[in-house]
Amino acid sequence: MWYNAPGSNPMTQGLLIGNGRMGAAILGNVTNDSLVLNESSLWSGTANLSGGYATGPSGAFGAYQMFGSLVLKLPTHTNPTGYVRALDIGTGIATVDYTNSGVADHREVFCSAPDQALVMQLTASSSAAYTGSIQLTDSHSTTISNTASGLMFSGALANGEKYEAQLVVSNSGGTVVISSGAVNFTNCNSLTLFVTLGTDYVMDYSLNYHGSDPHSNMLAQVTAASAKSFST
């Protein structure tokens, strides 16, 4: 499926990618894009011993929670032509293509099942095509922290469920500076982003449905995924 314009509503116009556990809605905006991130186990409910159906953040039955967003800002990409946003149903890969100031820009996004990671790559027909910033936002408003190669956030819902997101950014050409909860890049030829999401949820009543803290697993997954080339 393909469209010749970006989407504005992720629920009705987002191109959906996923691996069965985590996924994203792709709107494909050129100058300021936001990928809605989700993971299957982030739920606000409790053990719900009453058997009721009270939803919402404080209800015992609970409700599914949006995980966060991956925000891509390209302030110099202001006059795109030949725009196409597409999803290949056979491969599960979403793409965004357009021409900006005579340069063909290409984005490719998918969720890997073997690596349990979302991967996004930006390439162009000319060098130094990418200057802008990347941010990771938590839908529950926790603080975003810098890491050696990207960003992360972690928190807990009111029911005690812990969650964490990790982002690693690698670049070809140009410079990348990570500061104040943002990845700022200048004159890059290409960029590759790796995102992992997870919680401490386990399907075990005896543990009150809480397993180990997701940090070590999320860090291991994003480290392993980012060590591979995009083609693998």
Side-chain angles (χ1 to χ4, degrees):
M1 60 176 66
W2 63 272
Y3 304 88
N4 59 9
S8 58
N9 185 322
M11 293 295 291
T12 60
Q13 298 173 325
L15 297 178
L16 305 182
I17 61 169
N19 61 13
R21 184 188 64 83
M22 61 176 288
I26 313 300
L27 294 173
N29 289 290
V30 173
T31 306
N32 190 346
D33 198 18
S34 180
L35 283 69
V36 176
L37 305 175
N38 281 303
E39 195 271 350
S40 63
S41 64
L42 193 64
W43 187 269
S44 66
T46 65
N48 194 21
L49 299 179
S50 68
Y53 294 94
T55 60
S58 59
F61 185 79
Y64 183 69
Q65 303 292 296
M66 175 181 161
F67 212 101
S69 299
L70 178 65
V71 179
L72 171 67
K73 296 182 179 181
L74 300 170
T76 62
H77 291 212
T78 56
N79 191 29
T81 59
Y83 180 97
V84 177
R85 177 175 60 113
L87 175 63
D88 187 322
I89 300 297
T91 63
I93 297 174
T95 54
V96 176
D97 290 278
Y98 59 90
T99 299
N100 180 72
S101 300
V103 178
D105 297 275
H106 178 72
R107 300 180 200 170
E108 195 165 324
V109 196
F110 64 93
C111 281
S112 168
D115 294 293
Q116 289 296 303
L118 178 148
V119 185
M120 178 179 187
Q121 187 174 69
L122 289 76
T123 56
S125 63
S126 181
S127 60
Y130 291 107
T131 294
S133 66
I134 299 163
Q135 293 172 294
L136 194 62
T137 65
D138 173 21
S139 62
H140 296 86
S141 303
T142 60
T143 301
I144 309 303
S145 300
N146 304 332
T147 66
S149 52
L151 305 169
M152 63 86 67
F153 65 75
S154 63
L157 301 182
N159 63 5
E161 183 180 22
K162 296 179 180 179
Y163 60 89
E164 180 166 314
Q166 289 275 349
L167 165 69
V168 165
V169 178
S170 66
N171 63 300
S172 171
T175 59
V176 170
V177 177
I178 303 167
S179 177
S180 302
V183 178
N184 300 291
F185 51 90
T186 305
N187 296 330
C188 291
N189 304 330
S190 66
L191 294 158
T192 307
L193 287 61
F194 304 87
V195 178
T196 57
L197 311 171
T199 74
D200 70 349
Y201 174 80
V202 291
M203 193 178 293
D204 190 332
Y205 174 78
S206 68
L207 297 175
N208 200 27
Y209 303 106
H210 296 298
S212 58
D213 189 291
H215 174 70
S216 59
N217 196 27
M218 293 306 97
L219 184 59
Q221 287 178 352
V222 79
T223 300
S226 60
K228 296 182 178 180
S229 67
F230 182 78
S231 60
T232 58

